[in-house]
Amino acid sequence: MIMKIEFENNTIEFNVLYGSRKKISIHIDSMGFITVKAPNDSSKEMVISVVKQHGKRILEKLHIITEARETTKTREYQHKGKFLHLGKYYFLHELIETNELNEEELKINLKKFYFSSCKKIVGERIKKYQTQLKVKPKTIEVDESRTKWGSCSSDKKITFNYRLAMAPIEVIDYVIIHELCHLIHMNHDRSFWRRVGSIMPDYKEKEEFLARQGYAMTL
């Protein structure tokens, strides 16, 4: 369940996972994705209260992540570094045309490349899992998000982060399966994770990959 709060003129967006646990905990991965793990009987108000209590720490952590991302971005473009695509690094000129383009044009064209690649890959891969799960989303879109790799709305619209094009195919598959399973179970309850595991038993490895390597999957 995705929630948002306003804190010190900033919007903090986080995903809430309910389960068999004694207290609420907050986790921020290397991409700035915030996950709040809460006991099954936690109210929305209780979860929001805990997030607000840790609001300053969360904003400080997000600021550090953003600064690190900006530093990496500058270094890569200035030195014509390599960029990830489907889990492997490529020189910029191997992904897009670079002749006579300035830095801003390169950034714009590279983002367009990732959007196009993500749409193509998701469009191809999702068919297999729709059949296995016997579900069909109303729409499938690709957009830009700082806080999530994918989302599924209550009206069955699924959205994927364009940066997924940087991940290995099996990780992209995990996010696809994850969001398709939300068409069956909207919450992250045990039934949801059992369904995910029935299609991809090693899904936790894919989650760990995103947590460890997410910082590199950015522009």
Side-chain angles (χ1 to χ4, degrees):
M1 177 186 293
I2 301 297
M3 292 186 186
K4 293 181 182 179
I5 66 166
E6 295 298 321
F7 186 84
E8 295 186 352
N9 298 318
N10 291 276
T11 299
I12 298 177
E13 182 172 324
F14 51 95
N15 186 34
V16 183
L17 301 182
Y18 294 95
S20 299
R21 50 191 303 112
K22 294 182 178 179
K23 62 181 182 178
I24 296 174
S25 61
I26 301 172
H27 305 268
I28 305 175
D29 71 14
S30 55
M31 268 289 284
F33 291 79
I34 304 170
T35 301
V36 178
K37 297 183 178 181
N40 286 318
D41 59 354
S42 301
S43 66
K44 180 179 178 180
E45 291 74 21
M46 186 184 300
V47 171
I48 290 174
S49 175
V50 171
V51 173
K52 285 185 175 180
Q53 287 174 26
H54 294 84
K56 286 188 177 181
R57 181 180 68 84
I58 292 171
L59 292 180
E60 288 173 358
K61 177 73 172 179
L62 293 178
H63 178 67
I64 292 171
I65 291 171
T66 299
E67 281 194 333
R69 189 181 300 160
E70 290 297 320
T71 301
T72 301
K73 177 174 64 175
T74 301
R75 183 175 67 250
E76 287 179 339
Y77 276 102
Q78 286 183 346
H79 295 86
K80 298 186 183 297
K82 293 183 176 182
F83 292 83
L84 279 167
H85 184 234
L86 301 183
K88 296 181 180 179
Y89 279 99
Y90 294 87
F91 286 110
L92 189 57
H93 68 81
E94 294 179 291
L95 300 177
I96 62 171
E97 178 61 50
T98 59
N99 292 334
E100 299 181 0
L101 296 178
N102 60 39
E103 184 174 317
E104 190 60 31
E105 290 171 328
L106 290 172
K107 291 178 182 178
I108 292 171
N109 289 352
L110 185 58
K111 181 177 283 190
K112 287 180 179 178
F113 166 78
Y114 283 123
F115 263 93
S116 176
S117 179
C118 188
K119 287 179 181 178
K120 181 176 183 294
I121 295 163
V122 168
E124 293 172 350
R125 307 293 295 179
I126 201 168
K127 295 175 184 177
K128 169 186 175 182
Y129 299 112
Q130 283 183 189
T131 300
Q132 285 183 257
L133 290 164
K134 298 179 181 179
V135 295
K136 186 175 182 180
K138 185 176 181 180
T139 61
I140 302 169
E141 298 178 358
V142 173
D143 73 358
E144 180 174 4
S145 173
R146 188 176 62 82
T147 58
K148 50 187 178 292
W149 295 108
S151 63
C152 178
S153 66
S154 57
D155 55 355
K156 299 186 177 181
K157 295 179 180 180
I158 292 181
T159 303
F160 295 97
N161 191 329
Y162 81 92
R163 294 188 181 96
L164 277 175
M166 303 177 194
I169 284 291
E170 61 270 21
V171 175
I172 298 175
D173 282 353
Y174 160 66
V175 179
I176 289 173
I177 292 168
H178 184 113
E179 300 310 329
L180 286 177
C181 283
H182 275 314
L183 296 175
I184 306 170
H185 305 283
M186 280 303 295
N187 293 319
H188 291 93
D189 55 15
R190 289 184 179 180
S191 297
F192 169 82
W193 291 113
R194 279 198 296 267
R195 199 70 186 95
V196 172
S198 70
I199 303 297
M200 181 174 280
D202 62 348
Y203 71 86
K204 288 186 178 180
E205 293 180 10
K206 310 305 184 291
E207 283 194 319
E208 290 174 2
F209 175 90
L210 289 172
R212 292 194 316 269
Q213 303 298 326
Y215 75 94
M217 296 164 57
T218 187
L219 294 181

